[in-house]
Amino acid sequence: MEIFGRSRRQLAFAYALIMGIFLAVIIFVVHMVMNWSMFSEQAQELSDAANGVAEAQTFYLQNPDDAVDENRYYKSVNDRLFFYIFTEDKRLVRFERASFRLEQFVLDVIEGWNIDEGQVEVFNHSNETGQLSTVMMMSKKIVTDNAVQTLYVGKDVTALYSGLQKATYAQIVLGFVALLIASAIGYFMAGRALIPIKEAYDRQKQFAADASHELRTPLAVVMSSADLLLADPSIQNPFLRQVLEDLKSEVKKMTNLVSDLLMVARSDNNALKVKIQRLDLTEILKQVIRTMTPIAEKKNIRLSGEDFRKVMINADEQKIKQLAIILVDNAIKYTPEGGAVLVRLESFDETRAVFAVMDSGIGIAPEDLDKVFERFYRVDKARSREMGGNGLGLAIAWEIVKLHDGKISVASKLGEGTKFTVELKINLKK
């Protein structure tokens, strides 16, 4: 059934959504941890290199006449590390150059440097071909008695960040694959979980169908018996005759309820069939208005039709008539005395015909609009019982429209009235 298929999809979607959020959080956390770990390690390497270079330069400044071992400048320095030492007047006094493709960018960064001493910063650079390079840099003051210089140390970490990016992309791809697998598993498990519910629902449907079918015969017998008793001239007592009239009224209500239950049960079992024939939709609407007018007049309600033009459609005549009766009867029930109910042909073309049933009744609250087609749902249960409603009429109307591949919608405002709109195909084929 569609209700179980929809529930299964919703459960699978909810499971996939939760798993998707969980995987996204995991990927994000792993990426941030890897980024922090790599940054911390590289920052420590930069700091060690800066200390080594600063120590060597300090020694050189304090002992200008002594020979300096250049290797001291490269303590803890690999081929991707570079440094530049500038005096206060921006004169370059010592350096280990960055690669040719990065040097000009590094010098530009140094020229506009406004970052605190010891703070490591990451810079991205894209060359003419669009290739992205990443460098980490920091600065350190070298202060001696006779000079103050600034050391800039950096490292080309393009390969590391590129590796991190590739690892993140790999995690995303693996996460997506895992999500697809989890969704498939969730869909399968949701189906398994719904099996006992569906079996119980099927038994309930079968019981409703069997019970409704079996109740029709005794109800018909009771109705016939009541008619025979009322026709018996020997029963003249007004009280007894009123009891018989009340009995007929209640049996009629029960018969209608049983018929509605049987139709609903048949729709659940896909046993409802439509007998498609060519018919005039406006003639059916006019006939329904004539049939329902006496009921409307009892409540002093004006029932009328509007914009009726000949519209030929392919449909089941009895079911379309039942659909119109349900909508008109519902409008009359919930329209106070002195109100009006209008049946109108809204539009039609080569593919569809649209008609509406409007009333000036009590209206429906916005929170109830999406529930009016549910079985046994009644907006005002107390008033529905008084009016003889069982909560199945609009559900049956929805089933009839669905059988005809059509659409039904409702629009309403409290205290202003309700409008039901039905759209039917002109050339339905079954």
Side-chain angles (χ1 to χ4, degrees):
M1 277 195 61
E2 178 59 27
I3 184 173
F4 289 102
R6 185 169 62 249
S7 299
R8 184 179 185 180
R9 290 190 294 271
Q10 289 173 347
L11 286 172
F13 176 77
Y15 177 74
L17 181 62
I18 294 172
M19 286 298 298
I21 294 173
F22 176 75
L23 288 172
V25 171
I26 290 295
I27 292 171
F28 176 77
V29 170
V30 169
H31 173 79
M32 295 304 294
V33 169
M34 291 173 62
N35 186 74
W36 170 82
S37 176
M38 185 181 68
F39 181 86
S40 299
E41 182 180 344
Q42 297 305 310
Q44 184 62 48
E45 185 176 354
L46 274 183
S47 179
D48 292 343
N51 290 333
V53 174
E55 180 184 347
Q57 183 66 7
T58 301
F59 178 82
Y60 171 77
L61 291 173
Q62 292 175 345
N63 304 277
D65 298 329
D66 292 350
V68 177
D69 182 4
E70 295 292 335
N71 289 328
R72 298 190 66 177
Y73 282 97
Y74 309 114
K75 184 179 180 180
S76 301
V77 176
N78 61 34
D79 60 347
R80 292 186 179 275
L81 277 161
F82 55 85
F83 69 87
Y84 296 86
I85 301 175
F86 289 87
T87 62
E88 287 185 293
D89 58 358
K90 302 295 183 181
R91 184 168 55 87
L92 180 63
V93 294
R94 195 171 293 274
F95 61 88
E96 172 63 26
R97 298 178 66 173
S99 64
F100 175 76
R101 62 185 176 85
L102 288 176
E103 185 170 50
Q104 187 56 51
F105 170 69
V106 169
L107 293 175
D108 291 341
V109 169
I110 291 174
E111 185 177 354
W113 192 271
N114 59 356
I115 300 170
D116 295 338
E117 180 183 1
Q119 180 178 338
V120 178
E121 194 71 24
V122 178
F123 301 93
N124 292 311
H125 170 63
S126 181
N127 60 18
E128 296 80 2
T129 62
Q131 182 180 1
L132 183 67
S133 300
T134 306
V135 296
M136 293 178 67
M137 294 181 62
M138 65 175 293
S139 65
K140 184 177 180 63
K141 289 289 185 181
I142 301 174
V143 181
T144 62
D145 293 338
N146 56 357
V148 176
Q149 297 179 348
T150 304
L151 165 67
Y152 300 94
V153 179
K155 184 179 181 182
D156 181 1
V157 292
T158 303
L160 294 173
Y161 273 87
S162 177
L164 175 64
Q165 187 179 49
K166 290 177 181 178
T168 302
Y169 287 156
Q171 291 178 58
I172 292 173
V173 171
L174 291 174
F176 182 73
V177 172
L179 182 60
L180 291 178
I181 295 173
S183 300
I185 294 174
Y187 186 78
F188 173 75
M189 295 303 294
R192 293 292 299 272
L194 288 173
I195 287 176
I197 301 175
K198 187 176 185 301
E199 290 176 349
Y201 185 73
D202 289 339
R203 289 194 295 269
Q204 182 185 21
K205 287 192 304 180
Q206 191 59 47
F207 170 78
D210 294 343
S212 301
H213 183 75
E214 294 298 326
L215 283 171
R216 297 180 75 178
T217 300
L219 286 173
V221 172
V222 173
M223 179 66 77
S224 300
S225 300
D227 287 335
L228 287 173
L229 290 172
L230 282 172
D232 189 344
S234 64
I235 300 179
Q236 298 296 327
N237 188 301
F239 175 74
L240 291 179
R241 297 190 70 84
Q242 185 60 51
V243 169
L244 290 172
E245 290 290 349
D246 292 341
L247 175 64
K248 281 188 62 177
S249 176
E250 292 302 316
V251 170
K252 186 176 181 180
K253 289 181 182 178
M254 282 294 296
T255 302
N256 291 335
L257 175 59
V258 168
S259 297
D260 290 346
L261 284 172
L262 187 57
M263 181 172 183
V264 168
R266 286 174 174 171
S267 69
D268 286 340
N269 291 321
N270 296 319
L272 281 179
K273 303 297 181 183
V274 288
K275 184 180 179 181
I276 301 300
Q277 55 184 309
R278 199 69 174 167
L279 54 89
D280 187 348
L281 175 62
T282 55
E283 283 301 319
I284 291 180
L285 296 178
K286 290 177 182 178
Q287 182 181 352
V288 169
I289 291 174
R290 290 194 299 269
T291 302
M292 301 299 292
T293 294
I295 300 174
E297 289 176 345
K298 288 183 180 180
K299 290 185 63 177
N300 192 27
I301 293 173
R302 183 168 59 87
L303 174 60
S304 60
E306 187 178 280
D307 291 340
F308 283 163
R309 289 157 287 174
K310 187 173 183 179
V311 180
M312 302 301 294
I313 65 172
N314 291 337
D316 186 310
E317 182 177 2
Q318 294 303 316
K319 287 185 171 54
I320 296 299
K321 187 181 299 183
Q322 183 181 8
L323 167 65
I325 289 175
I326 289 172
L327 296 179
V328 173
D329 181 62
N330 187 77
I332 293 172
K333 283 180 181 177
Y334 292 98
T335 299
E337 291 189 10
V341 174
L342 175 64
V343 181
R344 183 171 68 190
L345 182 65
E346 296 275 280
S347 63
F348 69 93
D349 53 31
E350 295 83 1
T351 60
R352 64 191 184 100
V354 181
F355 74 90
V357 177
M358 296 167 283
D359 64 59
S360 57
I362 59 177
I364 303 171
E367 62 269 18
D368 293 317
L369 281 176
D370 60 342
K371 302 174 184 176
V372 295
F373 297 111
E374 294 180 4
R375 297 171 187 178
F376 301 106
Y377 184 81
R378 292 176 290 190
V379 176
D380 189 336
K381 294 180 173 57
R383 292 191 62 176
S384 294
R385 284 192 292 269
E386 293 172 4
M387 298 172 183
N390 55 39
L392 284 174
L394 292 178
I396 292 173
W398 187 85
E399 292 286 352
I400 292 173
V401 173
K402 186 176 72 170
L403 275 175
H404 288 80
D405 293 336
K407 299 178 183 177
I408 183 170
S409 60
V410 57
S412 182
K413 288 186 178 180
L414 284 175
E416 296 185 17
T418 302
K419 176 181 178 180
F420 285 91
T421 304
V422 177
E423 178 182 321
L424 298 171
K425 290 184 177 180
I426 292 289
N427 297 309
L428 178 67
K429 295 180 181 180
K430 287 284 187 179

